[in-house]
Structures are given as C-alpha cells and as structure tokens.
C-alpha cells in the first residue's frame, strides 16, 4: 500500500464522494488517479452537495475558497497557508462592446490572480487535494503559466516543487518559475518530451503530485470557480453567452459544469448559456473538428504565438465539441496577426493587458460577432486568463512610443500635432 | 476663467471640503492646485466626514471605492467605468516570520492590482477628481509603474493620455505603457528632464491633468486606501508596526493619515502604530537624515536597481521624518545585493514575486528586526507595492534552473540527488 493510499483512508475532500469515468460513468473511490481502467476515459469528481446557500458563500473568504463546498477540498482548506487565488474583477466592457457593435460585454480578468493567470485556481485545488492524499512534492510539466503557479503555490505551502520546462523557454517564464526556489529543471527536449517525462516520473515517485497528471481530476475542478464567480458577480445568474479559450479543453468543459452545478444546487435559476470556444489558427484541432462537423479531434503540430494554448492533441477535445454543440455555441480560430490585434483592442478599449491567449479570446469574439454566431443583442462574457507581461515578445514589434521628443514643450506639442 | 475653474463650480468631491497647506495650515477652496501660495508647502485635502459605518463599507464594492466617503471623489465614482483597483490580498506570512525570527508578519500584496502596482490606486483617485475639475486628458511623467497605471486607467475611462518617459526606459515598461494606445512619448533626457517638462506642460494645457503634478493632492490621497484595507482585513484594527518603502515619501505619510482617519471617524479603536521607512542605499536621502537626526533631507543622485524608488529629492521627505519619529519607527536602507536577497526571500517563503521596491521593504524589515528596532513580539505589516515581472533585469543573474537534464527519469533523479 502506498503512502498516498494509506493517507486516503481518512480523506476529507468536502462534498466530493467518488470519481466517475466520463465515457461510461464507471464509479470508483476518490484516489489520485486520472484514467478509468474500465473504459480508459478521463475520471471526473462527483459530489453529494447537500444544501448550499448564497449567504454562506457571500460570508466566505475573498478567494475561490468561498466555493469550497463545490470543490474536492477539505473543509479547513482556507485556514491552511495557500495563495488565495480568485475573486478577480468582472468588468463591464462598454468600450469594447461599442467597438464590436454589441449590446453588452463582460470581461472576467484573471490577470489579477497571484501569479497572474487562472492557473493559480487549478493549482490551489490540486495542492489541497494532494495534501489529503499524502503527497509531499508538487510537480508539473509546463511551458509557462502553470510552472509559475506551481512553484509559487508550493513555496507558500512550504512544499518542495519539481517543475519541468523545455530548456528553450523564454527568459521571463524561466525567471518567474525559478525565483520561488523550488527544483526547476530545464529539459533538453520539446514540450512533448517534457510531458512524457512527467508521466514516467509520476509512476516512480509516489509522493510527487503532478498537478496535471496524477491529480488532474481535482486540479481541473478549479476551473469551475470561473463560472461560480461570474455568476455571483452578475448577481447570481448565468450569462447568456461566454467565450472560453481552448488549450486541453478542460477549462471550457469545467466552466459549463460549474454553471450547471449552480443550477442543480439552487444557487441560480437554471438558464441556457451558449458556450463558444476560441483557438489560434496555428493550433486549432478542435475548431477544425467543429467546423467539419467531426466528432474526432485530429492532432496537429502547433505553430502559433499563443503558446499557452498550443496543445496539438487536446485531451478534452471531444468533450468540448459536445458542450459547444449542446449549448448552441461555436468554435472559431484566428491568425497570429488577429491575436495581436485582439490584445491591442482589449488594451485600448478597457485598459487590460492580456497575454496571447486573451488576444485569442477577444479576436475570436470579434470574428464570431461578425459572422452572426454570437448574438449582438445578448450579453457575452469573455474569459481573459493570463497576463500580457508574460508574452511581451508577441507584441513588441507592433507597439511602441508615438514619438521620441526633445525635453521641450514645443517638441511635445509638435509631436502631438497641437 | 479656465474650463477647469468653470466646472469646479458644481464640484462633487464627496466629503472633501478644502485644501490645507501642510506647513502653516492655510485653507483654500478645492481646486487643481498643489502648492500653497501662502507658505509654499504642499496642499493636502481636508474633509468633513460625518458618520461612516463599517456596515456601509463592507456592503460596498470590492475595490477602493468601498472607502469613497474617505476620499476626494464624487459619490457616483464606482458607477463610472474605472479600473476598480484595490482589495488586494493581505496574507499571513508565517514562513517569512519564521525565517526572520518574529512572531507575526502580514504581507499586503499590491501586485494583484490591475497593472500590478499600488499606482492603480492613486491614479484612480486622481482621474475621478480630474473629471470633476473638467480635465480631459490624463498625463504623467514616469519611469514605469505610474506610466502603466495612467495609460491603462485613461483607456478604460475613454480618456486620452499623455505619458512622458525617458527614452532609455526598459523594454518591458515601454511596451506595457504603449499597449493601451495613448500618447506615449519617449523623451530624449533623464527623469529630471521629463519631470520638469511635465510641470511646464501642465501650465500650457489647461485640460491636461498631470496626476502627480497639478492634481497631486487628490492623487496622493489614494495611498490611504492601503491603510484602510489593512485595517479592515485585520478585522477593523490598526496593526502594531508597518514597513513602507519611500520614494517621494507620499505613500508613507498617507498610510499614517489613513490609520488616523479611521480612528477619528470611529471605524477602529485608535491605537499606536510604529511606521518604518525603507530605502535603497543607492538612494537613501531620508534614511540618512533620519540616522543623522537631521530635519533637512539632502538631495542625492540615485544609483540603485530599485528604480521605482529612485527619487533623489523626495518631496515629502521632511513629513516622512516627522511621522516616523512621532510614531517611534525608524528608517533604514539596504544595498542592491540585499534588495535581490529580499526579493528571493519573499518568493521562496511566501510565493510572492515582488519588484525591486518589494525587495527593499523585505530587506529593510530583516535589517530592522536584526537591529532590534522592529519588535519581534509585535506584528508587522510589509507593503509589497509592485510586481517582479516588471523588474526581471534585477534578478536575472542570480536565479535560474537548478539543472539542465536529459528527458529521462535517471537524468532527473540524478540532478535532484535521488
């Protein structure tokens, strides 16, 4: 019996009761496993929620832990040192709505998280569950945001971390992963090599929790908090339309799950939400399958500036297709040039500097509006999941000072045409 | 009569009633002025607060506007598009406290603000007041954080911005200022040239609000919200000790003013707080005056990696000395090497990646604890006012991956000594 299994005997994972396979619904006890051995589909956490009130949530902490009853985490999760992610801004984006010719847009701005991406949410949930399972080391393969979030969360919790990145990673991402002083390892290989290595290591080290491998069912539940927050910030209701970027596809399916759960437990009046997926054309396997009306997602070799979305074989691709079709949404993709324009459009209209993934979301929203797939008379929420300071390279050639001037008022007035 | 003066007739600046000169207390009507013509000292906003309850504040928005009754802003300020800064994390930093050998440390983490520094607070207040005065353009001279905050806030408000920076500014700061598409001008000169130019331009353009020049009395009030939030997050009480970085010195004096006001209006039980100031040795005119028991702050030529604190002639220096002496605090300074160690210590223990100014705060706290000036048995709040992603250059040579490995488990295990 592994250390993890021994600890699992006295598990407190809140209202979570078991794991269920996504394909055939096979049930098994809560454990650090991620694939069903019955049907080889991903495992997902199932709950017995009981009664949850708005008042309890509203009286909770200003972090994702206000929703702890809806997550696979122990009841004392908010009293153990953690990064306290979540409760980020939901901004009414009237300038952007006007620019795009629609009635109402909301921006969910996850750049305000501790390491400036939504990954702080999923990592916090993964760490809380991993602690319950008896793991001692927090680990991940990553190309950026996840590396930052894992290294920071482990430091704050007093855990060791092992973060594996391709050695070719950009300087900013290396530095922000290294500063927390965990074990950051640069791997001589590409991201596929790093990912494969992580799966092998997860088998070898029984006290290492690879957040996106062996504790993935818990990790991915963290994305539901985006839906919970949007609904609460809208005054406890579900929005009419939402645009979500697609990497593995997990976030999109979990946002849908989150909205549904709120309806199920009576925290909101159930109402339809159209879910739209956003990809970059340089890595658009799910958009391609959607447009070809295909159920199979054909893997691709990524080539896009939106590196945080560059997963060529997205694990949750088929489930994304299912959610988007079921809700009456659509999936589009945009060129790298459109991604840059999306970043600039959001910054210019709303003062928010998003990473390339945010540019993908904004540019796809524009395209879907122009194509008539997003209803201009209904409201739309855009998920901005990461920060522009981490992907400066993507915009450096297309922005800069208006002019260089002499330190005189004449020179300034002339430069501004005054 | 200027446009600004005309608009001022129907001013709504909340509970603010007049401007008062800091030296001799001369009173004058609220206006976009920053120096008393009576005694040539800085002007500060005075209020008639009336009754303000905790319940009202707690029911307010999750931003600095929950404290709008304590700020020089109109009563509808939270209903006009703005960046919604504030309500950042206050973390119990038990790992850091243990590392420094003290009982309790709290980190106020302002990296969670919209453009990742405390400048979003002061700019939001400046913009709200500037709108009331009839200004149309938001402007500033800056070397970084302020440029980001002004450009973003103006974009969100639908205002034009004029942001003046030395042309030698680092690439990251240029790009983050440029992306919002205001008028960013690179000035062929140093920061002193840029600052002088701003003051000249403020005289020439009656509809330009230079946040830190002609509307400075309103702008600087925004720093009080750091004190308000700390007190509310501690359960409506004033902390025993706080360490504040010193640039112009404005923030430190306003944090003190904020705590005092809370006591005056009955929101907290008045209690003593020792205020400590933190400088970098390469720009430590206030620390020097403090240690020499001097009332005059002798200007210096800055030479430090803590560029956001590198103000050689700090306008509020004398007032900082007064507050620190009055409260029983102290002012220290640390070398650039200690600043780097401070950044790394905070990241390693609490998972927070601060800019160089944060390293200054942490390193000074360490030094003040070791010297016995900070009481290890009393709690201490550290203000972390900006983000490490903006000052990567400062740490790039001292951090990095633990090792470069082959994509094999053997190679990883060997690198980690397993």
């Amino acid at each position: 019996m592994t250390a993890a299994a021994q600890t699992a005997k006295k598990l407190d994972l809140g209202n979570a009761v078991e794991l269920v396979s996504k394909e055939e619904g096979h049930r098994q006890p809560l454990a650090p496993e991620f694939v069903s051995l019955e049907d080889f589909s991903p495992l997902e956490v199932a709950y017995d929620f009981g009664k949850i009130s708005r008042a309890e949530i509203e009286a909770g902490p200003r972090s994702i832990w206000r929703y702890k009853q809806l997550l696979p985490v122990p009841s004392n999760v908010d009293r153990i040192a953690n990064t306290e992610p979540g409760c980020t801004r939901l901004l009414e984006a009237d300038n952007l709505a006007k620019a795009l010719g629609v009635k109402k847009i909301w921006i969910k701005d996850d750049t305000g998280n501790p390491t400036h991406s939504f990954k702080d949410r999923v990592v916090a949930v993964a760490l809380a569950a991993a602690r319950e399972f008896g793991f001692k080391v927090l680990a991940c393969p990553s190309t950026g945001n996840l590396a930052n979030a894992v290294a920071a969360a482990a430091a704050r919790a007093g855990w060791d971390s092992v973060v594996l990145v391709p050695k070719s990673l950009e300087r900013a991402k290396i530095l922000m992963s290294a500063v927390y002083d965990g074990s950051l390892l640069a791997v001589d290989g590409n991201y596929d090599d790093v990912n494969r290595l992580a799966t092998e290591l997860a088998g070898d080290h029984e006290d290492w929790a690879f957040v996106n491998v062996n504790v993935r069912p818990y990790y991915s539940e963290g994305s539901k908090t985006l839906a919970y927050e949007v609904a609460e910030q809208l005054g406890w209701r579900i929005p009419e339309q939402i645009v979500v970027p697609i990497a593995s596809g997990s976030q999109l399916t979990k946002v849908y799950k989150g909205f549904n759960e709120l309806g199920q437990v009576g925290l909101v009046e159930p109402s339809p939400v159209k879910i739209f997926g956003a990809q970059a054309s340089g890595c658009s396997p799910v958009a391609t399958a959607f447009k070809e009306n295909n159920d199979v997602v054909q893997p691709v070799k990524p080539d896009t500036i939106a590196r945080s979305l560059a997963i060529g074989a997205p694990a949750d691709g088929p489930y994304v297709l299912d959610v988007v079709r079921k809700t009456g949404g659509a999936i589009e993709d945009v060129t790298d040039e459109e991604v840059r324009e999306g970043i600039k459009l959001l910054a210019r209209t709303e003062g928010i500097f998003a990473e390339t993934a945010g540019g993908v979301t904004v540019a796809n929203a524009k395209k879907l509006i122009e194509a008539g797939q997003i209803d201009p008379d209904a409201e739309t929420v855009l998920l901005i999941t990461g920060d522009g300071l981490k992907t400066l390279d993507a915009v450096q050639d297309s922005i800069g000072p208006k002019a260089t001037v002499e330190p005189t008022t004449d020179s300034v007035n002339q430069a501004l045409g005054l």
Side-chain angles (χ1 to χ4, degrees), chain A:
Chain A
M1 184 184 277
T2 66
Q6 282 169 339
T7 309
K9 285 187 200 167
K10 49 183 170 74
L11 270 187
D12 173 8
L13 289 176
N15 290 325
V17 289
E18 55 194 350
L19 294 174
V20 180
S21 73
K22 286 199 77 155
E23 284 300 335
E24 296 173 6
H26 296 285
R27 295 174 172 268
Q28 63 178 76
L30 294 169
E33 292 170 23
F34 60 107
V35 174
S36 164
L37 296 182
E38 303 277 347
D39 61 18
F40 303 101
S41 74
L43 291 165
E44 194 160 57
V45 178
Y47 301 84
D48 180 5
F49 286 127
K51 209 173 142 47
I52 303 172
S53 74
R54 292 181 187 176
E56 273 174 293
I57 291 171
E58 288 166 359
R62 294 303 309 183
S63 71
I64 59 170
W65 306 132
R66 64 203 283 105
Y67 310 107
K68 64 184 177 185
Q69 294 170 279
L70 295 152
L71 296 170
V73 295
S75 46
N76 68 345
V77 65
D78 51 324
R79 296 196 298 278
I80 303 171
N82 70 86
T83 60
E84 302 179 17
C87 288
T88 56
R89 302 184 293 176
L90 181 75
L91 292 178
E92 267 186 279
D94 291 348
N95 296 332
L96 179 61
K98 199 174 163 193
L100 296 181
V102 299
K103 199 169 148 189
K104 175 66 75 184
I105 289 178
W106 300 92
I107 300 289
K108 180 61 176 170
D109 176 17
D110 247 19
T111 67
N113 272 318
T115 68
H116 308 323
S117 86
F118 89 100
K119 291 290 186 185
D120 292 314
R121 299 175 182 273
V122 286
V123 168
V125 174
L127 174 54
R131 185 186 283 112
E132 282 297 305
F133 286 122
F135 291 102
K136 302 292 181 201
V137 175
L138 205 64
C140 70
S142 171
T143 61
N145 284 326
L146 182 58
N148 299 161
V150 163
R156 170 89 178 129
W159 282 35
D160 286 334
S161 63
V162 176
V163 171
L164 307 170
V165 298
K167 75 171 183 183
S168 62
L169 203 61
E170 304 97 309
R171 173 177 155 266
K173 289 176 183 168
I174 290 272
L175 291 174
M176 196 178 176
S177 302
V179 73
Y180 306 107
D181 203 32
S183 293
L184 174 67
L185 298 178
V187 179
D188 188 6
N190 60 26
Y191 182 67
D192 287 335
D193 297 324
V194 176
N195 219 355
R196 181 186 45 70
L197 178 60
T199 307
E200 285 176 36
L201 287 165
D204 283 2
H205 297 274
E206 65 175 34
D207 56 353
W208 290 14
F210 276 89
V211 296
N212 50 347
V213 183
N214 48 352
V215 292
R216 187 173 181 86
Y218 310 92
Y219 161 88
S220 58
E221 288 287 285
S223 286
K224 295 189 310 184
T225 60
L226 281 160
Y228 301 154
E229 287 181 21
V230 165
E232 183 181 353
Q233 288 170 310
L234 288 175
W236 291 111
R237 62 178 184 82
I238 292 173
E240 296 167 287
Q241 306 177 112
I242 187 166
V243 184
V244 185
I246 300 171
S248 73
S250 167
Q251 183 177 67
L252 187 146
T253 64
K254 294 294 181 171
V255 164
Y256 180 63
K257 188 178 187 226
F259 285 133
N260 278 347
E261 286 173 347
L262 292 179
Q264 282 158 28
V265 299
L267 285 164
V268 301
E269 193 66 41
S271 68
V273 51
K274 288 187 182 179
I275 301 196
F276 295 86
Q279 294 208 296
S281 301
C283 181
S284 53
V286 194
T288 302
F290 178 82
K291 292 185 214 175
E292 292 175 350
N293 208 19
N294 209 327
D295 286 340
V296 176
V297 175
Q298 214 60 46
V300 301
K301 190 162 176 294
D303 178 18
T304 168
I305 58 169
R307 293 172 67 163
S308 63
L309 302 181
I311 297 185
D316 288 292
Y319 307 109
V320 166
L321 290 169
D322 185 45
V323 165
V324 169
R325 285 174 180 146
K326 189 156 59 183
T327 64
I331 308 175
E332 256 302 347
D333 59 87
V334 293
T335 66
D336 283 358
E337 192 45 42
E338 289 173 303
V339 173
R340 281 189 202 95
E341 288 305 315
I343 291 172
K344 285 155 52 175
L345 176 61
L346 181 64
R348 183 169 71 240
T349 53
E350 302 298 343
I352 297 169
F353 184 25
E355 66 159 21
T356 44
V360 168
T361 298
V362 172
N364 272 287
K366 182 169 184 283
K367 195 166 178 179
L368 289 161
I369 289 164
E370 286 167 358
Q373 295 186 279
I374 284 180
D375 177 357
D377 295 321
E379 72 186 343
T380 306
V381 174
L382 307 187
L383 292 192
I384 301 302
T385 55
D387 204 283
L389 278 174
K390 296 195 200 177
T391 59
L392 288 173
D393 292 350
V395 292
Q396 68 176 341
D397 295 333
S398 62
I399 58 175
K402 295 280 180 214
T404 298
V405 299
E406 293 303 306
T408 66
T409 56
D410 282 352
S411 183
V412 169
N413 290 338
Q414 198 182 343
L416 298 178
L418 300 173

